[in-house]
Amino acid sequence: METPTALWAIGAWYTDFTQNTDEQVVELLRRTAPPAADGAATGKGHVAKSDPLEPADEVTVDAGPVRLPGQLVIPEAAGVVVFVHGSGSSRHSPRNRYVASLLNRAGLGTLLCDLLTVEEEYDRGKVFDIELLAGRLAQVTNWLIDQPQVAGLPVGYFGASTGAAAALSAAAEPGSRVAAVVSRGGRGRLG
């Protein structure tokens, strides 16, 4: 990461704020997907399926004093992406589920997990508590890495909004085994 000496509003760094269409996003994901989208072998010897995906496994992750619900899909995966959504979203978000299904078809496993309990979602202090969210994300990641079907696979984060800040924070911790972070509309923090 790089911190510019003068960082103002994020808008100062962009000249085009045009919203991308879903079709544009799908096309960009398609272009970056390995050739396995049609059933060809991936670079790691795995084969991505082009047929309908298996339903997600409902999982529960112990994260300190709370149990967090999630949905885990591990096709013959080359890696696993943990979705870290922001305030107002959940593992049931149609957008997150859609993106997860595209990643699954491209040969990546996915974990959509809520970092707050249903009761905590109503506490605005917890919704924006980056340290709490990052700590929970680290616990979720440790749980994920311990799952037999994930052993040895690289793990990445896909963070949106407040979840992007939590993803960046958790990935920056010493000893983190996170291989990549994608931030979509994130609330990154400095310091």
Side-chain angles (χ1 to χ4, degrees):
M1 287 184 61
E2 180 181 321
T3 305
T5 54
L7 180 64
W8 301 289
I10 197 72
W13 300 97
Y14 293 95
T15 57
D16 182 5
F17 286 96
T18 307
Q19 178 77 27
N20 288 330
T21 66
D22 288 343
E23 292 78 20
Q24 289 171 317
V25 172
V26 170
E27 174 59 21
L28 290 170
L29 288 170
R30 187 196 61 73
R31 278 196 243 158
T32 60
D38 294 324
T42 65
K44 300 233 181 214
H46 295 93
V47 176
K49 301 175 184 175
S50 57
D51 55 334
L53 298 173
E54 297 177 24
D57 291 330
E58 295 294 326
V59 297
T60 303
V61 179
D62 286 322
V66 298
R67 296 174 52 89
L68 304 172
Q71 297 171 335
L72 179 64
V73 175
I74 305 293
E76 292 188 38
V80 183
V81 177
V82 179
F83 281 69
V84 193
H85 49 264
S87 58
S89 188
S90 76
R91 71 189 184 284
H92 300 296
S93 159
R95 177 179 282 183
N96 287 344
R97 292 171 61 144
Y98 177 70
V99 173
S101 73
L102 293 176
L103 293 174
N104 296 150
R105 285 186 180 93
L108 292 169
T110 54
L111 174 62
L112 284 81
C113 188
D114 296 335
L115 297 178
L116 297 174
T117 65
V118 173
E119 297 79 23
E120 290 174 328
E121 290 174 1
Y122 295 102
D123 181 342
R124 300 311 283 172
K126 288 188 178 179
V127 168
F128 295 104
D129 185 339
I130 304 304
E131 288 182 35
L132 171 69
L133 297 172
R136 296 247 178 110
L137 179 56
Q139 291 173 311
V140 167
T141 305
N142 289 337
W143 172 88
L144 178 64
I145 290 170
D146 287 341
Q147 301 309 300
Q149 68 269 43
V150 177
L153 295 177
V155 173
Y157 293 152
F158 181 88
S161 186
T162 308
L168 290 167
S169 183
E173 285 297 314
S176 170
R177 297 180 7 201
V178 175
V181 178
V182 172
S183 171
R184 182 187 64 80
R187 297 175 181 261
R189 66 179 183 153
L190 302 174

